[in-house]
Amino acid sequence: MLIAHPPKVPASDITPRSTYLRRREVLAGLGLGALLGPAAAAASLVGAKSRFSTDERPTPRADVVAYNNFYEFGGGKSDPAARAGSLTTSPWSVEIDGLVAKPAKYALEDLIRSSELEERIYRMRCVEGWSMVIPWLGVPLASVLARAEPLGSAKYVAFESLVRPEEMPGQAGFLQLLPWPYVEGLRLDEALHPLTLLAVGLYGEALPNQNGAPLRLVVPWKYGFKGIKSIVRISLVEAQPKTSWNVQNPREYGFFSNVNPKVDHPRWTQATERRIGEGGLFAKRRPTLMFNGYAQEVAGLYAGMDLGRYF
Ligand SMILES: Nc1nc2c(c(=O)[nH]1)N[C@H]1C(S)=C(S)[C@@H](COP(=O)(O)O)O[C@H]1N2
Ligand SMILES: [Mo]
């Protein structure tokens, strides 16, 4: 059983109509408009707030799209917004391969079913000590993986980002911040957890390029770097896959990367965080929560594990 209890967050506001209208444009932009059906059916997709959404106030959209990490476009927080605009995100396809009965290369519009799109407002916590609250639009990763029919031998899921130096200046220069492609991984049970999302939008619109267009992973109980952007390959594998930040610095970044206020990064505390959009550098830091506040939902995945060792 994956979820012991429903989260204790009260259902609050209904998605505003303007968001719903923009959402129809997102679906049309993904080539999903035709599948959407009558307006009444579309409205029902977004009328109810997900039981997984936090009721915390979302970080202003202006901050969500301006303060990013996306090293393919440079190492600065404003580089992605400044430089990712010219990335070509359509057409886009995603290969699902490895230990599956039905390996296939999917066009994005075939991979993401409009009927499964949900808005999920998640707390996000970056390993660097800042956090945001982001209204994502996505589908559970589990439902996408199910279509490829993972084999019993599959134990992990490996993810790979786009390599396209012509459009990604961070991959083109002499000085490379990371080895490419950017890669990430989850244990299969983490990948199948209902909180784990493949996002195609935020704030009711298609993902801006700097946030990982057209498709990125969202794992809200882990540090932000697990949320690999601009995914082109998803592989079911037997052995624990390599992950970019762990390869770059294994002492500082582990495979699991669960948000944990009790396990400090070797160079800074993880006990507190700065919420982006709240009064800048002088705003009071807030305490970081175990599993980023999702302990009730995910702690069971790690029962009996030494989280100081498996960080
Ligand atoms: N391909 C790729 N994905 C990536 C990164 C990256 O550099 N390249 N940065 C990660 C980090 S460190 C964070 S904090 C989040 C930031 O996501 P956001 O910019 O949408 O907030 O993306 C993650 N996904
Ligand atoms: Mo991050």
Side-chain angles (χ1 to χ4, degrees), residues 15 28 31 55 71 97 130 134 155 170 182 208 239 273:
T15 306
D55 61 350
Y71 277 62
D97 61 12
W130 45 270
I134 302 182
K155 301 280 183 292
Y182 192 100
E273 65 200 50

Side-chain angles (χ1 to χ4, degrees), residues 230-252:
S230 304
I231 297 168
V232 294
R233 184 187 299 275
I234 301 176
S235 308
L236 283 287
V237 295
E238 181 147 16
Q240 183 175 296
K242 285 185 180 172
T243 66
S244 284
W245 286 100
N246 178 250
V247 167
Q248 201 248 19
N249 193 337
R251 210 176 69 86
E252 299 191 0

Side-chain angles (χ1 to χ4, degrees), residues 64 67-72 74 80 124-128 130 132 134 136 161-162 168 178 180 182-183 202 210-212 216 223-230 245:
V64 174
Y67 192 85
N68 304 101
N69 273 332
F70 200 167
Y71 277 62
E72 285 86 335
M124 306 301 297
R125 170 64 154 79
C126 178
V127 72
E128 296 166 277
W130 45 270
M132 298 194 198
I134 302 182
W136 298 107
S161 290
L162 181 70
M168 296 177 140
L178 287 172
W180 312 111
Y182 192 100
V183 289
L202 60 79
Q210 60 267 36
N211 294 90
R216 57 89 54 85
Y223 292 116
F225 64 88
K226 299 295 282 185
I228 182 170
K229 296 176 169 182
S230 304
W245 286 100

